[in-house]
Amino acid sequence: GLAGLGALDSLELNNTAITGDINALSEVNALTQLRLANTAITGNITVFSDMLQLTELYAPGTMVSGDIAALSGLTQLNSVSLSQTMVS
């Protein structure tokens, strides 16, 4: 798992061959920037709701899904890109 990365504040995996469910990121809740564009990740965006320090979420061209309302409690969030996903 990613438990050892709990203090990580920035993760950029754009255009990589990474696959899997974004639930694996649930233990990395100190993130301020998360960039996963054009990867084969899947899962529901509710996992991001506990990332209270998140300021940037960039995940276009992924297979993430869910209701955008899941992000409503992220008061620090100032940049979101979820185009070409299954988020509604």
Side-chain angles (χ1 to χ4, degrees):
L2 298 175
L5 300 176
L8 191 68
D9 69 358
S10 181
L11 181 60
E12 182 166 344
L13 296 168
N14 293 337
N15 304 306
T16 64
I18 193 164
T19 62
D21 193 302
I22 55 175
N23 281 328
L25 295 175
S26 65
E27 298 171 1
V28 190
N29 56 13
L31 287 174
T32 59
Q33 298 176 338
L34 180 57
R35 300 183 187 109
L36 301 167
N38 304 311
T39 61
I41 61 159
T42 60
N44 194 293
I45 63 169
T46 56
V47 71
F48 301 133
S49 64
D50 290 332
M51 296 180 183
L52 301 178
Q53 298 174 41
L54 202 60
T55 61
E56 181 182 331
L57 174 57
Y58 187 68
T62 62
M63 296 298 293
V64 297
S65 61
D67 187 335
I68 194 72
L71 305 180
S72 64
L74 300 179
T75 58
Q76 303 298 312
L77 196 60
N78 60 39
S79 180
V80 177
S81 180
L82 293 169
S83 60
Q84 299 174 338
T85 66
M86 297 188 310
V87 173
S88 57

